[in-house]
Amino acid sequence: METIIIGQGYNLTENTSVAQELINQFESNRYSTFTCLVAFASYGGISALTKYILDAKEKGVIIKVILGVDQQGTSKEALEEVLTWGVDAKIYHTLSAPIFHPKIYLFENEDIFTMIVGSNNLTEMGLVKNVECSLLIKDIRSNPVYGKFHEYWKSILNGSENNLYTITQEIIDKLYKNKIITSELDRTIKYDNSNKKSNETEYNGISFNNTKIQKNPKGFVPKRLITVKTTTGKSGQDEDPIIDNKSFPIEEEVLIAEIGAGTRWKQVNFPIQIFQNFFGAEKGNNNYRIELVNIAKDGTLGEVENRQAVSVKSNNFRFEINCAETNKAYPSGEDRPIGIFVKLEPSKFLYQVIMPDDSVYVRIKNYLYNESTIRRKSELRRHIVHVEAIHALYPELII
């Protein structure tokens, strides 16, 4: 028998996580079935496993998923992503007070099993970034733990439990309409952001510190959502926006950067390190191009901007952006516009420009000023952060 403690989110030098162990088991090609019983699921956590689920399914692996929907811990988008898997997927829900709260991941074949049991929900935070702990047990099927598991959960595993409901688009829509589940944005604000205030370090006289966030393991690539809002109907009528969630595979780095003044302030300058390491450009190579897409304040996406990297002898390195904000006059006063650049791929980026009169501006500025360092007072501030920091800092920008 092999037993392993899987810690994560705390001792980052170990760099262990349940996400990594799940990938290891899927890639071992050793198992014929995969079953999970999990309380909460997010779109990020589910979508990061889609590749492995579909690969396993193609190889004949039998997959069973049982998810909880209590306390709005599972999002509508997460269930819709599960639906794309085309596997035996159900929710467990009752009207009683106790909630469905297990976190069990089980791989089996005719000889052996690997079971992961602990505190890790099927969310990106739960599988990688939260401070969590689980136990992995690997042994032959005669181990009493294996038998006791199947005995205890028998009616849920064989589908005879009357509080199980097969996941369909119809039931997802009904759960959402009745507010049993919520949108990914609201779930993120409620759970991943929790009650933390990114720009404050003191709560009623108690000071707390920040800590580093564990990075996703290689191959664990959650898709992110961009909320696009459109309206339909007769002219002059007020209607609720129709939400069209678009998903993108997003890398983990996000650049927060002050934008300097000038007659053409849409030409944004960067230090050579950011120009090369974040944007992938090369000093002196003006043939390099990137694609930029603006995220407007109402959530809509702009057209693709194909931009040339510009580097000049005066060590000026820049890309041009073009959005509603940069087509206005540069703001007066000491506050500078702030750009948020989200990396999709090495040469593809989303961006948004935050102006001093935007409601989120003070929050972003305070964070940037707390986290960045400058050599002289007039220097523009830039800081590269993990995407989860933006989740917590600016949940309205759903990425």
Side-chain angles (χ1 to χ4, degrees), residues 162-257:
N162 62 4
N163 292 307
L164 289 175
Y165 303 86
T166 299
I167 298 175
T168 63
Q169 188 61 56
E170 181 182 8
I171 199 167
I172 293 171
D173 292 340
K174 288 180 178 179
L175 289 169
Y176 184 70
K177 182 178 181 181
N178 289 283
K179 299 183 178 180
I180 295 172
I181 60 174
T182 187
S183 69
E184 183 68 16
L185 173 58
D186 289 338
R187 200 212 70 83
T188 297
I189 293 171
K190 183 176 182 179
Y191 287 99
D192 294 348
N193 190 28
S194 187
N195 295 316
K196 299 176 182 178
K197 304 173 184 178
S198 299
N199 60 331
E200 295 184 18
T201 57
E202 189 170 301
Y203 294 69
N204 296 320
I206 305 175
S207 294
F208 295 98
N209 299 317
N210 290 318
T211 188
K212 292 183 178 179
I213 299 174
Q214 185 162 332
K215 292 185 176 181
N216 289 335
K218 183 179 179 180
F220 187 82
V221 185
K223 287 187 279 187
R224 313 288 181 183
L225 293 174
I226 296 296
T227 302
V228 180
K229 300 180 181 179
T230 58
T231 57
T232 60
K234 296 179 181 178
S235 177
Q237 287 187 337
D238 292 330
E239 297 206 1
D240 292 333
I242 296 173
I243 307 301
D244 177 19
N245 284 325
K246 298 188 180 228
S247 62
F248 301 89
I250 288 180
E251 297 193 9
E252 297 192 338
E253 291 184 334
V254 176
L255 169 66
I256 307 176

Side-chain angles (χ1 to χ4, degrees), residues 12 15 124-125 128-130 198 211-217 220 222 224 250-256 278 340-343 367 371 383-394 399:
L12 301 191
N15 201 30
E124 183 180 0
M125 298 298 289
V128 183
K129 304 177 189 307
N130 286 341
S198 299
T211 188
K212 292 183 178 179
I213 299 174
Q214 185 162 332
K215 292 185 176 181
N216 289 335
F220 187 82
R224 313 288 181 183
I250 288 180
E251 297 193 9
E252 297 192 338
E253 291 184 334
V254 176
L255 169 66
I256 307 176
F278 183 79
I340 298 177
F341 296 85
V342 182
K343 186 182 291 187
Y367 180 83
E371 298 296 325
H383 186 59
I384 295 175
V385 303
H386 193 279
V387 68
E388 289 304 324
I390 295 297
H391 270 304
L393 180 67
Y394 187 12
I399 55 172

Side-chain angles (χ1 to χ4, degrees), residues 48-111:
L49 291 182
T50 293
K51 171 185 180 297
Y52 302 99
I53 293 291
L54 296 183
D55 286 350
K57 182 182 167 186
E58 187 175 348
K59 295 169 185 173
V61 176
I62 298 171
I63 297 166
K64 187 186 298 289
V65 178
I66 299 98
L67 299 175
V69 292
D70 298 300
Q71 298 181 345
Q72 295 187 330
T74 294
S75 72
K76 178 178 184 287
E77 292 86 350
L79 293 182
E80 289 174 335
E81 182 72 7
V82 170
L83 201 57
T84 69
W85 291 357
V87 301
D88 181 3
K90 296 179 172 66
I91 63 162
Y92 179 97
H93 186 62
T94 77
L95 295 178
S96 303
I99 69 171
F100 186 75
H101 210 241
K103 291 94 176 175
I104 305 167
Y105 304 88
L106 175 65
F107 296 84
E108 307 168 77
N109 64 24
E110 60 183 11
D111 298 314

Side-chain angles (χ1 to χ4, degrees), residues 33-36 104-108 113-115 146 149-150:
T33 69
F34 169 68
T35 303
C36 68
I104 305 167
Y105 304 88
L106 175 65
F107 296 84
E108 307 168 77
F113 72 96
T114 293
M115 181 184 296
Y146 180 82
F149 170 81
H150 278 275

Side-chain angles (χ1 to χ4, degrees), residues 197-200 256 258 297 334-338 340 352-371 381 392-394 396:
K197 304 173 184 178
S198 299
N199 60 331
E200 295 184 18
I256 307 176
E258 283 187 315
K297 299 298 169 31
E334 296 183 358
D335 287 332
R336 299 158 169 158
I338 297 174
I340 298 177
Q352 186 174 93
V353 176
I354 310 297
M355 302 294 280
D357 57 355
D358 289 328
S359 60
V360 73
Y361 182 84
V362 173
R363 204 187 317 164
I364 302 289
K365 179 184 175 181
N366 287 347
Y367 180 83
L368 178 60
Y369 275 59
N370 285 335
E371 298 296 325
R381 291 180 180 264
L393 180 67
Y394 187 12
E396 301 95 324

